[in-house]
Amino acid sequence: DNFTALQCPIKMETTVSLSNPANVEYQVVRTTLLPGLLKTLQHNKSASFTNGFKLFEVSDVVVADADHVATETRVGAKNSRKVAAVYAGPTSGFEILHGLVDRIMTLTEVGPEAAYVATSAKKAQAEDEQYRVSKEGWEYTINPLPEGSHEFGMYFPGRAATILLTKPGTESKIRLGTFGILHPNVLKNFDIQYPASVMELDLEHLL
């Protein structure tokens, strides 16, 4: 579920395997929060989706840490705090998760780049941006998800975006995460009967 059910390529270089897992399903420590949220949708098919079904999770994932050699105290892995959300209902809910991303960035005092504010979707809010509390040098933007990205197969073609962060002390933009409409094959893999959108971003760079 960590990769194949999401239609993402397996990345063994970033995964952490357990030598004595409880069962095969838990052999690889999770690197994403999304399968858990989608399984929750799967197990709540009898619930009403008329007004949309919304779920979120803030928790840690485990990724390989190439900066540390495996020793008795350093095992070559590290925890990374993420936030993920899913919306399923009569419509895909893409704009709902887009708004959630903007809200998270507002609460963490990261302002949008000028070019992002100038886009048609943000013009109505441009005047309000002058009153926004933002940390100096911290900015974010949202771009279409490039073809060839690890998560590209998870999303409906042309309906996914990547979240990029600029902050002091970094030479290039940091890729915080992605959001978009799930591909029909992914919905089928998790037996979800409604259109759905998901969002996941790394909180480590914002805290």
Side-chain angles (χ1 to χ4, degrees), residues 32-55:
T32 171
L33 303 177
L34 294 178
L37 292 178
L38 296 178
K39 284 183 178 180
T40 301
L41 281 183
Q42 178 185 10
H43 294 306
N44 283 273
K45 289 186 292 186
S46 61
S48 174
F49 283 72
T50 304
N51 297 318
F53 199 100
K54 305 172 186 177
L55 295 169

Side-chain angles (χ1 to χ4, degrees), residues 50-68:
T50 304
N51 297 318
F53 199 100
K54 305 172 186 177
L55 295 169
F56 79 96
E57 181 179 2
V58 179
S59 190
D60 286 0
V61 299
V62 180
V63 294
D65 185 3
D67 295 332
H68 296 104

Side-chain angles (χ1 to χ4, degrees), residues 7 154-157 181-189 192:
Q7 293 196 146
M154 181 172 70
Y155 294 114
F156 194 89
I181 300 173
L182 286 177
H183 194 282
N185 290 342
V186 176
L187 296 176
K188 182 179 179 180
N189 290 340
I192 297 172

